[in-house]
């Protein structure tokens, strides 16, 4: 079974305001007052911005976006922390990556974990990003990822149409 996610995450209030700038964006509520915007091709295209704009110093360096992407996320983060996350798993093997912006700059990451690395004691990249957004582990749940409901859909497309 596979799992694939590319998304922005933040509070429901912050992402609702941010999504108003991107007609293709769909805000999906999660538990604990958080939400995500699935990074579909239409949303990514709208967020790419001017490719000639340089990335901000100390940026997160996600490989699938153009130079204008981080500037847009950095601008939104002046109103509150916002995370960019990605995960890809198949048959239990895979990778996670996350970065968090706040006050216009990267404050966490980029963090990456993969199959060949032991799970860090402080948690996976996405769980650590969720903590920066106010996420917490609820009783009976494995981690922040599980607690906010990120297992609800198995793909970015599933979140977008869900």
């Amino acid at each position: 079974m596979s799992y694939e996610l590319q998304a922005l995450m933040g509070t429901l209030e912050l992402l609702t305001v941010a999504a108003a700038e991107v007609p293709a964006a769909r805000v999906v509520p999660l538990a604990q007052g958080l939400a995500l915007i699935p990074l579909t091709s239409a949303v990514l295209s709208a967020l790419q911005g001017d490719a000639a704009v340089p990335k901000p110093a100390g940026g997160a360096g996600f490989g699938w976006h153009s130079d204008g992407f981080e500037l847009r996320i950095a601008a939104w983060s002046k109103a509150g922390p916002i995370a960019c996350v990605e995960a890809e798993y198949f048959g239990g093997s895979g990778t996670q990556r996350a970065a968090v912006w706040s006050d216009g700059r990267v404050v966490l990451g980029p963090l990456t974990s993969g199959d060949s690395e032991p799970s860090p004691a402080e948690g996976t990249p996405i769980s650590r990003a969720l903590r920066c957004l106010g996420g917490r582990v609820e009783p009976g749940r494995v981690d922040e990822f599980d607690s906010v409901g990120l297992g609800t859909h198995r793909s970015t497309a599933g979140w977008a149409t869900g």
Side-chain angles (χ1 to χ4, degrees):
M1 188 180 268
S2 66
Y3 183 91
E4 171 268 325
L5 176 64
Q6 289 182 344
L8 296 176
M9 288 192 227
T11 64
L12 179 59
E13 180 181 359
L14 173 63
L15 292 188
T16 300
V17 171
E21 297 179 22
V22 184
R26 176 175 189 257
V27 178
V28 181
L30 299 169
Q32 302 180 9
L34 299 177
L36 66 78
I37 295 175
L39 290 174
T40 62
S41 59
V43 173
L44 279 172
S45 179
L47 290 176
Q48 298 301 352
D50 183 353
V53 175
K55 287 184 183 176
F62 283 83
W64 42 262
H65 63 76
S66 73
D67 295 345
F69 180 87
E70 288 187 33
L71 291 174
R72 178 72 69 96
I73 306 311
W76 287 339
S77 79
K78 291 178 182 178
I82 189 166
C84 182
V85 303
E86 60 183 32
E88 189 170 356
Y89 288 92
F90 185 80
S93 298
T95 60
Q96 278 191 24
R97 188 166 186 175
V100 177
W101 286 257
S102 186
D103 294 322
R105 62 186 178 82
V106 175
V107 295
L108 179 73
L111 303 173
T112 303
S113 69
D115 294 334
S116 60
E117 304 166 14
S119 190
E122 59 273 9
T124 66
I126 294 176
S127 284
R128 291 178 64 190
L130 286 166
R131 262 183 251 136
C132 289
L133 303 175
R136 64 195 179 287
V137 180
E138 293 182 348
R141 299 293 186 156
V142 175
D143 57 13
E144 294 83 358
F145 186 104
D146 181 38
S147 294
V148 302
L150 287 176
T152 302
H153 298 285
R154 309 277 320 153
S155 68
T156 300
W159 284 102
T161 60

